[in-house]
Amino acid sequence: MSVAGLAVSDYVDVPVYLNVPEFVRLSVDSSSPDSQFDLVFNPATPANPSDTVKLLAEANVSYNVNHSVTPVTGYSSWANKLQIAIDTSVSGFGGAGNVVFDVTATLDVLGNLNLGSLTTNTKIADVTFTITSL
């Protein structure tokens, strides 16, 4: 008695669907020396103090970055002199992908010496950066 085997094959196609919603995220880049603006005025070499922080934008859509300044109570006169500059000239800024860009804070101390002195490490404001999809 012998049994003969039958070679049979079959297949089925299963569709694959992908759903990737709009995604934007903003964080301080790990290459940034710190995550705060340290503005130090030196009377020996007078110039308006400035400091730069590197931010990382991650997005799969076009986006825009804005900022707002919230003064600490009692320091609004200083916080109102704060200028924030976002470097939008870096390649890829505002488009899908990962981009590291500089943000610089400058304080007009020279034009406002009449506001007096502040002790070291006086926090005058918080700067909030917001990334939004377009």
Side-chain angles (χ1 to χ4, degrees), residues 27-64:
S27 60
V28 176
D29 185 63
S30 60
S31 68
S32 191
D34 61 27
S35 59
Q36 62 190 24
F37 294 115
D38 296 313
L39 305 173
V40 179
F41 178 73
N42 184 352
T45 55
N48 285 328
S50 67
D51 191 25
T52 299
V53 171
K54 293 183 178 301
L55 296 182
L56 169 64
E58 301 169 282
N60 65 358
V61 293
S62 296
Y63 61 87
N64 193 16

Side-chain angles (χ1 to χ4, degrees), residues 81-129:
K81 309 303 180 210
L82 193 60
Q83 306 243 334
I84 304 297
I86 299 172
D87 182 5
T88 59
S89 67
V90 65
S91 177
F93 183 89
N98 298 343
V99 176
V100 175
F101 60 97
D102 290 342
V103 178
T104 302
T106 305
L107 190 63
D108 182 11
V109 173
L110 290 174
N112 296 283
L113 293 172
N114 60 318
L115 293 178
S117 64
L118 298 176
T119 59
T120 302
N121 294 326
T122 300
K123 181 178 174 182
I124 63 167
D126 287 311
V127 181
T128 302
F129 295 95

